[in-house]
Amino acid sequence: MVDFALSTEERQIRDTVRAFITKEVMPLEQEVLRNERAGRPGVLPEVIAELRAKARRSGFWGVNTPEEYGGMDLGAVMSAIIAMETGRTFVPFSFGGSADNILYACDDEQKQQYLLPTIEGERRSCFAITEPGAGSDARNIRTRAVRDGDDWLITGEKTFITGGNEADFVMVFAVTDPDKGADGGVTCFLVDRDMGWKSEPIATMGQWGPAALVFDEVRVPGRNVLGEVGKGFPLAMQWIGQGRYLIPARAIGSAERMLQMAVDYARTRHSMGRPIADYQAIQWHIADSQVEIESAKWLTLYAAWRVQQGLDARHASSIAKLNGAVMANQVVDRVLQIHGGMGYTKELPIERWYRELRLLRIFEGTDEIQKRTIARNLLKGHVRLGGIGE
């Protein structure tokens, strides 16, 4: 039976994280807003680095990183709970000491060059599979890698790459054997920026700053293949599925923070001689938001539980991601509505949340892709209705 009761230690971890976010991170929000509205970076990398160092001194380092690499290895359920806490602020903070899950596929030499420095925060990576003509349809990537002696020459373009402007190396996926298709003809390469790839920022309506990456016969040594030649697509799917449940987890924290703003405002804002909290229309906005947040919370924790139990979590994660993304957008819209004209201004951070949370319904698999996945799993019999804990 699924049991989400937290132990005393787990409650202490949650409360410590909440206190850290409240005391150390949230006070930066006004500065972040001022900087962003002036066209400057909201928060400098060195500020985030110092926050991570402070958290490390308190014992928080590598939430999901195996203990053999100096991490806490708390598991998927606690990782989801921590993501809910970090999601309570729009300051782009996350605890340090982690690396992309597929970097653990590095050989010993690659671990020294890529994995360990990334865990320590000395290097920054990005994951590059999406292309201008292959977003959700990852099997149709066109970037090519051609052998040249012991090296490979990579040519192509990737787009909407998170962290692509800041990364000093990329995990890039390229077609190495077109005749074998995605399952046997795609390879992952570890490519340092100084090998020649270039990045350009992509302007967006929110604060997510993705990049377009260009590879023009970038020469990559054969030793920089991650895993095996032709075995890149399973690595890509492993990366994509690693933490899809963390997206709705952060959305839950954001929605709870905004709903509290709405509750506080409804109590103090008067209209026609009464607090607007007295009006049924406002009460329904608040009640609907609470119900949707709680529903998303348990769907998300269930997906995380499946990950932690070593069960197939793909279907549950798609449900959680779809539900959480839609929920967050509905909640922020209601919160803006409750605040009326003030909610629409830049005097309050609601419009900032509004723009940021819209992204959740697009990246890491659009709403439509999640619905397609859920429906196909049912129609093809991969999952069945009525199962519990299966």
PDB file of all heavy atoms in Angstrom, residues 133-155:
ATOM      1  N   GLY A 133      12.897  21.142 -36.404  1.00  0.00           N
ATOM      2  CA  GLY A 133      11.875  20.307 -37.019  1.00  0.00           C
ATOM      3  C   GLY A 133      11.567  19.050 -36.238  1.00  0.00           C
ATOM      4  O   GLY A 133      10.874  18.163 -36.729  1.00  0.00           O
ATOM      5  N   ALA A 134      12.094  18.943 -35.026  1.00  0.00           N
ATOM      6  CA  ALA A 134      11.880  17.741 -34.216  1.00  0.00           C
ATOM      7  C   ALA A 134      11.835  18.142 -32.748  1.00  0.00           C
ATOM      8  O   ALA A 134      12.840  18.103 -32.047  1.00  0.00           O
ATOM      9  CB  ALA A 134      12.996  16.720 -34.456  1.00  0.00           C
ATOM     10  N   GLY A 135      10.636  18.561 -32.313  1.00  0.00           N
ATOM     11  CA  GLY A 135      10.453  18.917 -30.914  1.00  0.00           C
ATOM     12  C   GLY A 135      10.007  17.698 -30.137  1.00  0.00           C
ATOM     13  O   GLY A 135      10.809  16.905 -29.680  1.00  0.00           O
ATOM     14  N   SER A 136       8.691  17.522 -30.034  1.00  0.00           N
ATOM     15  CA  SER A 136       8.171  16.336 -29.353  1.00  0.00           C
ATOM     16  C   SER A 136       8.461  15.067 -30.151  1.00  0.00           C
ATOM     17  O   SER A 136       8.471  13.972 -29.597  1.00  0.00           O
ATOM     18  CB  SER A 136       6.662  16.490 -29.138  1.00  0.00           C
ATOM     19  OG  SER A 136       6.383  17.596 -28.303  1.00  0.00           O
ATOM     20  N   ASP A 137       8.696  15.206 -31.432  1.00  0.00           N
ATOM     21  CA  ASP A 137       8.989  14.065 -32.301  1.00  0.00           C
ATOM     22  C   ASP A 137      10.498  13.832 -32.322  1.00  0.00           C
ATOM     23  O   ASP A 137      11.174  14.035 -33.329  1.00  0.00           O
ATOM     24  CB  ASP A 137       8.457  14.339 -33.710  1.00  0.00           C
ATOM     25  CG  ASP A 137       8.541  13.108 -34.598  1.00  0.00           C
ATOM     26  OD1 ASP A 137       8.814  12.012 -34.073  1.00  0.00           O
ATOM     27  OD2 ASP A 137       8.339  13.249 -35.815  1.00  0.00           O
ATOM     28  N   ALA A 138      11.045  13.398 -31.181  1.00  0.00           N
ATOM     29  CA  ALA A 138      12.498  13.288 -31.026  1.00  0.00           C
ATOM     30  C   ALA A 138      13.118  12.240 -31.939  1.00  0.00           C
ATOM     31  O   ALA A 138      14.323  12.292 -32.216  1.00  0.00           O
ATOM     32  CB  ALA A 138      12.829  12.971 -29.569  1.00  0.00           C
ATOM     33  N   ARG A 139      12.324  11.296 -32.424  1.00  0.00           N
ATOM     34  CA  ARG A 139      12.874  10.253 -33.289  1.00  0.00           C
ATOM     35  C   ARG A 139      13.305  10.795 -34.659  1.00  0.00           C
ATOM     36  O   ARG A 139      14.016  10.111 -35.387  1.00  0.00           O
ATOM     37  CB  ARG A 139      11.858   9.126 -33.479  1.00  0.00           C
ATOM     38  CG  ARG A 139      11.663   8.270 -32.243  1.00  0.00           C
ATOM     39  CD  ARG A 139      10.655   7.161 -32.469  1.00  0.00           C
ATOM     40  NE  ARG A 139      10.606   6.262 -31.337  1.00  0.00           N
ATOM     41  CZ  ARG A 139      11.378   5.200 -31.172  1.00  0.00           C
ATOM     42  NH1 ARG A 139      12.278   4.897 -32.107  1.00  0.00           N
ATOM     43  NH2 ARG A 139      11.275   4.431 -30.113  1.00  0.00           N
ATOM     44  N   ASN A 140      12.852  11.976 -34.995  1.00  0.00           N
ATOM     45  CA  ASN A 140      13.149  12.512 -36.325  1.00  0.00           C
ATOM     46  C   ASN A 140      14.231  13.585 -36.311  1.00  0.00           C
ATOM     47  O   ASN A 140      14.205  14.499 -37.128  1.00  0.00           O
ATOM     48  CB  ASN A 140      11.876  13.065 -36.967  1.00  0.00           C
ATOM     49  CG  ASN A 140      10.973  11.955 -37.488  1.00  0.00           C
ATOM     50  OD1 ASN A 140      11.467  10.938 -37.979  1.00  0.00           O
ATOM     51  ND2 ASN A 140       9.675  12.128 -37.354  1.00  0.00           N
ATOM     52  N   ILE A 141      15.185  13.488 -35.396  1.00  0.00           N
ATOM     53  CA  ILE A 141      16.280  14.463 -35.394  1.00  0.00           C
ATOM     54  C   ILE A 141      17.115  14.299 -36.666  1.00  0.00           C
ATOM     55  O   ILE A 141      17.206  13.210 -37.245  1.00  0.00           O
ATOM     56  CB  ILE A 141      17.167  14.319 -34.147  1.00  0.00           C
ATOM     57  CG1 ILE A 141      17.846  12.942 -34.093  1.00  0.00           C
ATOM     58  CG2 ILE A 141      16.369  14.579 -32.874  1.00  0.00           C
ATOM     59  CD1 ILE A 141      18.859  12.827 -32.965  1.00  0.00           C
ATOM     60  N   ARG A 142      17.720  15.407 -37.100  1.00  0.00           N
ATOM     61  CA  ARG A 142      18.475  15.427 -38.348  1.00  0.00           C
ATOM     62  C   ARG A 142      19.957  15.752 -38.154  1.00  0.00           C
ATOM     63  O   ARG A 142      20.751  15.615 -39.093  1.00  0.00           O
ATOM     64  CB  ARG A 142      17.862  16.464 -39.301  1.00  0.00           C
ATOM     65  CG  ARG A 142      16.444  16.112 -39.759  1.00  0.00           C
ATOM     66  CD  ARG A 142      16.471  14.946 -40.710  1.00  0.00           C
ATOM     67  NE  ARG A 142      15.143  14.588 -41.189  1.00  0.00           N
ATOM     68  CZ  ARG A 142      14.389  13.640 -40.656  1.00  0.00           C
ATOM     69  NH1 ARG A 142      14.847  12.951 -39.599  1.00  0.00           N
ATOM     70  NH2 ARG A 142      13.196  13.361 -41.146  1.00  0.00           N
ATOM     71  N   THR A 143      20.344  16.191 -36.977  1.00  0.00           N
ATOM     72  CA  THR A 143      21.756  16.468 -36.735  1.00  0.00           C
ATOM     73  C   THR A 143      22.563  15.201 -37.012  1.00  0.00           C
ATOM     74  O   THR A 143      22.217  14.113 -36.538  1.00  0.00           O
ATOM     75  CB  THR A 143      21.976  16.929 -35.277  1.00  0.00           C
ATOM     76  OG1 THR A 143      21.296  18.163 -35.085  1.00  0.00           O
ATOM     77  CG2 THR A 143      23.454  17.119 -34.975  1.00  0.00           C
ATOM     78  N   ARG A 144      23.640  15.346 -37.774  1.00  0.00           N
ATOM     79  CA  ARG A 144      24.429  14.192 -38.202  1.00  0.00           C
ATOM     80  C   ARG A 144      25.810  14.194 -37.562  1.00  0.00           C
ATOM     81  O   ARG A 144      26.402  15.244 -37.324  1.00  0.00           O
ATOM     82  CB  ARG A 144      24.600  14.187 -39.720  1.00  0.00           C
ATOM     83  CG  ARG A 144      23.363  13.870 -40.527  1.00  0.00           C
ATOM     84  CD  ARG A 144      22.908  12.427 -40.330  1.00  0.00           C
ATOM     85  NE  ARG A 144      23.985  11.472 -40.520  1.00  0.00           N
ATOM     86  CZ  ARG A 144      24.379  10.987 -41.707  1.00  0.00           C
ATOM     87  NH1 ARG A 144      23.759  11.384 -42.824  1.00  0.00           N
ATOM     88  NH2 ARG A 144      25.343  10.107 -41.792  1.00  0.00           N
ATOM     89  N   ALA A 145      26.307  13.004 -37.322  1.00  0.00           N
ATOM     90  CA  ALA A 145      27.689  12.815 -36.886  1.00  0.00           C
ATOM     91  C   ALA A 145      28.324  11.803 -37.840  1.00  0.00           C
ATOM     92  O   ALA A 145      27.816  10.680 -37.992  1.00  0.00           O
ATOM     93  CB  ALA A 145      27.747  12.320 -35.453  1.00  0.00           C
ATOM     94  N   VAL A 146      29.393  12.206 -38.488  1.00  0.00           N
ATOM     95  CA  VAL A 146      30.045  11.370 -39.503  1.00  0.00           C
ATOM     96  C   VAL A 146      31.457  11.041 -39.038  1.00  0.00           C
ATOM     97  O   VAL A 146      32.194  11.922 -38.571  1.00  0.00           O
ATOM     98  CB  VAL A 146      30.093  12.107 -40.863  1.00  0.00           C
ATOM     99  CG1 VAL A 146      30.791  11.258 -41.909  1.00  0.00           C
ATOM    100  CG2 VAL A 146      28.677  12.474 -41.310  1.00  0.00           C
ATOM    101  N   ARG A 147      31.843   9.780 -39.171  1.00  0.00           N
ATOM    102  CA  ARG A 147      33.194   9.371 -38.766  1.00  0.00           C
ATOM    103  C   ARG A 147      34.255  10.040 -39.642  1.00  0.00           C
ATOM    104  O   ARG A 147      34.083  10.168 -40.856  1.00  0.00           O
ATOM    105  CB  ARG A 147      33.353   7.858 -38.871  1.00  0.00           C
ATOM    106  CG  ARG A 147      32.730   7.083 -37.720  1.00  0.00           C
ATOM    107  CD  ARG A 147      33.189   5.636 -37.768  1.00  0.00           C
ATOM    108  NE  ARG A 147      32.532   4.816 -36.772  1.00  0.00           N
ATOM    109  CZ  ARG A 147      32.976   4.662 -35.519  1.00  0.00           C
ATOM    110  NH1 ARG A 147      34.071   5.303 -35.134  1.00  0.00           N
ATOM    111  NH2 ARG A 147      32.320   3.877 -34.675  1.00  0.00           N
ATOM    112  N   ASP A 148      35.336  10.431 -38.994  1.00  0.00           N
ATOM    113  CA  ASP A 148      36.508  10.947 -39.700  1.00  0.00           C
ATOM    114  C   ASP A 148      37.730  10.428 -38.955  1.00  0.00           C
ATOM    115  O   ASP A 148      38.225  11.064 -38.021  1.00  0.00           O
ATOM    116  CB  ASP A 148      36.496  12.477 -39.719  1.00  0.00           C
ATOM    117  CG  ASP A 148      37.635  13.048 -40.555  1.00  0.00           C
ATOM    118  OD1 ASP A 148      38.021  12.414 -41.561  1.00  0.00           O
ATOM    119  OD2 ASP A 148      38.167  14.115 -40.175  1.00  0.00           O
ATOM    120  N   GLY A 149      38.199   9.240 -39.350  1.00  0.00           N
ATOM    121  CA  GLY A 149      39.269   8.586 -38.609  1.00  0.00           C
ATOM    122  C   GLY A 149      38.747   8.142 -37.246  1.00  0.00           C
ATOM    123  O   GLY A 149      37.727   7.468 -37.141  1.00  0.00           O
ATOM    124  N   ASP A 150      39.446   8.549 -36.195  1.00  0.00           N
ATOM    125  CA  ASP A 150      39.014   8.212 -34.836  1.00  0.00           C
ATOM    126  C   ASP A 150      38.035   9.236 -34.280  1.00  0.00           C
ATOM    127  O   ASP A 150      37.537   9.078 -33.150  1.00  0.00           O
ATOM    128  CB  ASP A 150      40.234   8.127 -33.905  1.00  0.00           C
ATOM    129  CG  ASP A 150      41.144   6.947 -34.255  1.00  0.00           C
ATOM    130  OD1 ASP A 150      40.620   5.949 -34.787  1.00  0.00           O
ATOM    131  OD2 ASP A 150      42.358   7.041 -33.992  1.00  0.00           O
ATOM    132  N   ASP A 151      37.774  10.292 -35.040  1.00  0.00           N
ATOM    133  CA  ASP A 151      36.899  11.368 -34.586  1.00  0.00           C
ATOM    134  C   ASP A 151      35.533  11.286 -35.252  1.00  0.00           C
ATOM    135  O   ASP A 151      35.281  10.457 -36.134  1.00  0.00           O
ATOM    136  CB  ASP A 151      37.530  12.733 -34.892  1.00  0.00           C
ATOM    137  CG  ASP A 151      38.863  12.936 -34.205  1.00  0.00           C
ATOM    138  OD1 ASP A 151      39.122  12.252 -33.198  1.00  0.00           O
ATOM    139  OD2 ASP A 151      39.643  13.785 -34.670  1.00  0.00           O
ATOM    140  N   TRP A 152      34.656  12.195 -34.809  1.00  0.00           N
ATOM    141  CA  TRP A 152      33.357  12.388 -35.428  1.00  0.00           C
ATOM    142  C   TRP A 152      33.192  13.861 -35.769  1.00  0.00           C
ATOM    143  O   TRP A 152      33.667  14.734 -35.028  1.00  0.00           O
ATOM    144  CB  TRP A 152      32.227  11.973 -34.484  1.00  0.00           C
ATOM    145  CG  TRP A 152      32.179  10.515 -34.165  1.00  0.00           C
ATOM    146  CD1 TRP A 152      32.894   9.866 -33.193  1.00  0.00           C
ATOM    147  CD2 TRP A 152      31.361   9.523 -34.792  1.00  0.00           C
ATOM    148  NE1 TRP A 152      32.580   8.534 -33.174  1.00  0.00           N
ATOM    149  CE2 TRP A 152      31.631   8.290 -34.146  1.00  0.00           C
ATOM    150  CE3 TRP A 152      30.428   9.545 -35.823  1.00  0.00           C
ATOM    151  CZ2 TRP A 152      31.000   7.095 -34.515  1.00  0.00           C
ATOM    152  CZ3 TRP A 152      29.789   8.363 -36.183  1.00  0.00           C
ATOM    153  CH2 TRP A 152      30.081   7.162 -35.547  1.00  0.00           C
ATOM    154  N   LEU A 153      32.540  14.136 -36.889  1.00  0.00           N
ATOM    155  CA  LEU A 153      32.219  15.507 -37.275  1.00  0.00           C
ATOM    156  C   LEU A 153      30.710  15.691 -37.138  1.00  0.00           C
ATOM    157  O   LEU A 153      29.927  15.011 -37.805  1.00  0.00           O
ATOM    158  CB  LEU A 153      32.668  15.797 -38.709  1.00  0.00           C
ATOM    159  CG  LEU A 153      34.175  15.724 -38.977  1.00  0.00           C
ATOM    160  CD1 LEU A 153      34.467  15.977 -40.456  1.00  0.00           C
ATOM    161  CD2 LEU A 153      34.932  16.725 -38.110  1.00  0.00           C
ATOM    162  N   ILE A 154      30.314  16.617 -36.272  1.00  0.00           N
ATOM    163  CA  ILE A 154      28.887  16.830 -35.992  1.00  0.00           C
ATOM    164  C   ILE A 154      28.413  18.103 -36.667  1.00  0.00           C
ATOM    165  O   ILE A 154      29.033  19.165 -36.532  1.00  0.00           O
ATOM    166  CB  ILE A 154      28.636  16.929 -34.473  1.00  0.00           C
ATOM    167  CG1 ILE A 154      29.082  15.640 -33.781  1.00  0.00           C
ATOM    168  CG2 ILE A 154      27.154  17.194 -34.194  1.00  0.00           C
ATOM    169  CD1 ILE A 154      28.912  15.660 -32.270  1.00  0.00           C
ATOM    170  N   THR A 155      27.289  17.994 -37.401  1.00  0.00           N
ATOM    171  CA  THR A 155      26.704  19.135 -38.098  1.00  0.00           C
ATOM    172  C   THR A 155      25.196  19.135 -37.865  1.00  0.00           C
ATOM    173  O   THR A 155      24.530  18.109 -38.038  1.00  0.00           O
ATOM    174  CB  THR A 155      26.987  19.071 -39.614  1.00  0.00           C
ATOM    175  OG1 THR A 155      28.396  19.084 -39.825  1.00  0.00           O
ATOM    176  CG2 THR A 155      26.366  20.266 -40.319  1.00  0.00           C
TER     177      THR A 155
END
